[in-house]
Amino acid sequence: MTAKISYADVEVGTELPAQSFPVTRATLVRYAGASGDFNPIHWNEKFAKEVGLPDVIAHGMFTMAEAIRVVTDWTGDPGAVVEYGVRFTKPVVVPNDDRGAVIEVSGKVAAKLDDNTVRVDLTATNDGRKVLGMARAVVRLA
Amino acid sequence: MALDQSFVGRSYPPTEPYEVGREKIREFAEAVGDTNPAYTDAEAAKALGHPDVIAPPTFVFAITFKAAGQVIQDPQLGLDYSRVVHGDQKFAYRRPVRAGDRLTVTSTIESIKSMAGNEVLDIRGEVHDEAGEHVVTAWTKLVARAAEEA
């Protein structure tokens, strides 16, 4: 496991490069196939509205998969992730147009822990609203 | 109706092994738009110290959630899955999942709580490889929303 970032080079407050992740209906269809989660709230507008949602929403696990990329792109080695957890607080609504939705993710080092690990706190928003709560990863640095 | 508290602590039998395929990892990485070569190029993965391509961190959810179906669909527990939303998800990794792994999952009900009419179910999935070594633990919180008054 070879993270490209050195433990000695980060401090509490160090910011990771923020990223934007687009998501369209096509993205959700691909994710459904890859993950095996075919819940119709993620692709069928009529069904989504019938169960009280404003429109089709992204899989929470899709948002979780995108958010950790801020960490794995930073460390280089995705295998350096020791722990990762999130709370799904708001759905990402994905309209049926060319633009879809955008998930904005930023992260910063919140604590330096033992054994060359750090805790990174992530913020994920869509249209300015937080879509994940308590989004935290522990990652082992070089 | 409140779920039966006597199910807390119940473990279900380990699942049949799920064999992690290189192409399945590639498909997942492409679906989330992640071009990290550790997911698709064995040499790149080896350069990072892994024996083969590894899976993105959340890939394993597909396996643990399917395993959690044993709990969700347990007729004795009686969860109304049509009202269930995914509340929280957490993973603790001993090592990354990698191509060629044959993984089994043992699901345990960690807690059942009633909150404002909602049923909150915490399921822990312990993932082991063919050698019996622990790979990752997944904690999944499911919330069954209260049924509306008829």
Side-chain angles (χ1 to χ4, degrees), chain B residues 10 12-13 27 43 62 73 76 93 100 119 141 143:
Chain B
R10 180 172 300 206
Y12 291 75
E27 180 189 11
E43 292 310 312
Q73 289 152 19
Q76 290 182 304
Y93 307 89
E119 298 291 333
K141 186 185 292 293
V143 181

Side-chain angles (χ1 to χ4, degrees), chain A residues 1-2 27 30-31 33-35 61-62 64-66 68-69 72-73 76-79 81-88, chain B residues 24 27-28 30-34 36 38-39 47-50 54 57-58 61-62 86-93 96:
Chain A
M1 319 307 139
T2 327
T27 315
R30 288 182 70 154
Y31 183 78
S35 68
M61 289 305 301
F62 175 83
M64 187 177 185
E66 296 301 342
I68 195 64
R69 287 180 53 195
T72 56
D73 285 358
D77 182 4
V81 178
V82 176
E83 273 181 37
Y84 179 34
V86 307
R87 178 165 295 167
F88 303 107
Chain B
K24 193 65 194 175
E27 180 189 11
F28 187 92
E30 286 179 352
V32 298
D34 195 331
N36 194 312
Y39 304 139
L48 294 169
H50 306 294
I54 62 172
T58 63
F61 181 75
H86 194 181
D88 290 29
Q89 183 61 43
K90 186 179 173 191
F91 302 101
Y93 307 89

Side-chain angles (χ1 to χ4, degrees), chain B residues 1-116:
Chain B
M1 203 165 74
L3 296 173
D4 185 347
Q5 284 289 328
S6 73
F7 278 75
V8 173
R10 180 172 300 206
S11 285
Y12 291 75
T15 55
E16 290 294 310
Y18 174 103
E19 185 165 328
V20 179
R22 280 182 190 77
E23 292 304 329
K24 193 65 194 175
I25 292 174
R26 177 194 300 276
E27 180 189 11
F28 187 92
E30 286 179 352
V32 298
D34 195 331
T35 58
N36 194 312
Y39 304 139
T40 51
D41 177 349
E43 292 310 312
K46 284 173 187 165
L48 294 169
H50 306 294
D52 203 331
V53 294
I54 62 172
T58 63
F59 174 91
V60 74
F61 181 75
I63 306 169
T64 57
F65 190 64
K66 197 173 170 204
Q70 287 176 299
V71 182
I72 293 163
Q73 289 152 19
D74 182 342
Q76 290 182 304
L77 179 64
L79 187 68
D80 179 2
Y81 190 61
S82 70
R83 313 201 65 84
V84 165
V85 296
H86 194 181
D88 290 29
Q89 183 61 43
K90 186 179 173 191
F91 302 101
Y93 307 89
R94 185 69 56 91
R95 66 159 172 87
V97 167
R98 55 191 177 230
D101 273 337
R102 288 171 55 81
L103 303 176
T104 58
V105 186
T106 305
S107 297
T108 300
I109 298 178
E110 279 205 328
S111 76
I112 296 173
K113 294 191 183 99
S114 289
M115 290 165 74

Side-chain angles (χ1 to χ4, degrees), chain A residues 53-132:
Chain A
L53 294 166
D55 204 334
V56 161
I57 62 168
H59 304 71
M61 289 305 301
F62 175 83
T63 304
M64 187 177 185
E66 296 301 342
I68 195 64
R69 287 180 53 195
V70 164
V71 176
T72 56
D73 285 358
W74 180 62
T75 60
D77 182 4
V81 178
V82 176
E83 273 181 37
Y84 179 34
V86 307
R87 178 165 295 167
F88 303 107
T89 51
K90 285 231 170 12
V92 175
V93 177
V94 182
N96 187 21
D97 58 24
D98 295 340
R99 185 179 165 274
V102 177
I103 302 164
E104 313 268 1
V105 183
S106 61
K108 85 165 88 165
V109 174
K112 292 187 82 170
L113 310 172
D114 296 341
D115 201 16
N116 275 20
T117 61
V118 298
R119 192 186 95 214
V120 175
D121 288 1
L122 294 163
T123 303
T125 61
N126 162 241
D127 275 341
R129 294 181 315 160
K130 272 182 78 167
V131 293
L132 298 178

